[in-house]
Amino acid sequence: MFDFATDKSEWTIRPKDKYKDKTSLIGQRKSLSPIDIRKINKLYKCPGFDTTTTTTTTTTTTTGAAEPDFMIPHRGCYYPLEGESRSGQARFTANQVDATLCTYINVAFAPIQDNKMSLSRQLRATLETLKLLRNDNDKLKLFLSIGGTANSATLGVIARDIRKRFAFAHAAAITLRNNGLDGLDVVYKQKSALEAAAFTAFIEVHEG
């Protein structure tokens, strides 16, 4: 592979020895490889696969008491709104999403203002377009992402205050229900054990 190479006679990405013939396909988007499928099944402890333990700073909570009816294996996709603002071939919009590719989509990120999520006109339009994918995939789940680099500090302020935690959770549940979404995806970049405890309390409020 000669991607990003200034000298096209030298490979920048080279397959392992058993795949080193130049007909090897690298980085294709047509489907998951058998190894990818095995790793995903193992990650989510699907029947017939060895189990493993993982940790993540991203937690998904649902809007109701029942767990969502996920397809197995999961194929989670992240949809960053910033992709809609790019130009040329780098631009990607909700109309280009393959309904059969993902079992759930995290739409990132919803800004936080006045202790609640703020849905811009662009974000609402994107959510409406993505919801249409359910016509072709009725098991598709849509989650709204909050936090990330821009809003983790704001989330930290909310997480450390019990009144703000409950107020945010109440407002979030209403926003999710009113927009036909399946849950909340929280990306909280914590820096200390104290913040980890606050994050746990924040998630527990939403799960309740």
Side-chain angles (χ1 to χ4, degrees):
M1 298 287 288
F2 305 99
D3 298 62
F4 307 106
T6 54
D7 181 356
K8 295 299 182 180
S9 66
E10 293 292 330
W11 284 27
T12 53
I13 303 173
R14 186 178 298 276
K16 294 180 179 179
D17 287 344
K18 62 179 179 179
Y19 302 117
K20 66 181 180 181
D21 64 282
K22 294 187 179 182
T23 61
S24 296
L25 192 60
I26 303 175
Q28 53 82 26
R29 293 186 178 184
K30 294 180 181 178
S31 63
L32 294 171
S33 71
I35 293 176
D36 291 335
I37 294 172
R38 238 183 356 260
K39 287 182 177 179
I40 292 171
N41 277 279
K42 185 176 180 181
L43 174 64
Y44 287 99
K45 304 178 183 179
C46 298
F49 294 85
D50 293 333
T51 59
T52 186
T53 301
T54 61
T55 58
T56 178
T57 56
T58 303
T59 303
T60 303
T61 58
T62 62
T63 56
E67 288 296 317
D69 182 18
F70 278 121
M71 288 187 289
I72 301 296
H74 303 325
R75 292 188 301 277
C77 300
Y78 228 77
Y79 183 90
L81 285 173
E82 63 186 34
E84 298 178 358
S85 303
R86 296 173 184 150
S87 59
Q89 293 183 344
R91 188 168 187 264
F92 190 84
T93 66
N95 292 313
Q96 296 171 268
V97 177
D98 183 346
T100 63
L101 178 64
C102 314
T103 60
Y104 66 92
I105 300 175
N106 294 333
V107 184
F109 284 97
I112 300 174
Q113 296 178 353
D114 299 324
N115 207 45
K116 60 184 178 181
M117 291 183 290
S118 174
L119 274 60
S120 65
R121 182 179 299 178
Q122 175 196 3
L123 177 53
R124 291 180 187 275
T126 295
L127 291 173
E128 290 303 313
T129 301
L130 291 174
K131 283 191 285 186
L132 294 176
L133 297 176
R134 291 170 173 162
N135 294 332
D136 297 315
N137 181 359
D138 60 359
K139 294 291 183 68
L140 178 66
K141 304 301 177 185
L142 295 176
F143 295 87
L144 193 56
S145 295
I146 58 172
T149 302
N151 280 303
S152 281
T154 303
L155 271 182
V157 172
I158 295 172
R160 289 189 291 271
D161 187 311
I162 186 170
R163 292 184 179 179
K164 290 182 178 181
R165 286 200 299 267
F166 278 95
F168 185 89
H170 178 71
I174 293 174
T175 298
L176 296 174
R177 291 193 194 102
N178 289 347
N179 288 277
L181 303 175
D182 298 290
L184 190 65
D185 172 52
V186 183
V187 183
Y188 184 31
K189 297 191 174 182
Q190 57 202 32
K191 297 180 180 179
S192 67
L194 179 62
E195 287 190 43
F199 175 68
T200 300
F202 179 84
I203 295 301
E204 288 174 344
V205 168
H206 286 75
E207 289 182 331

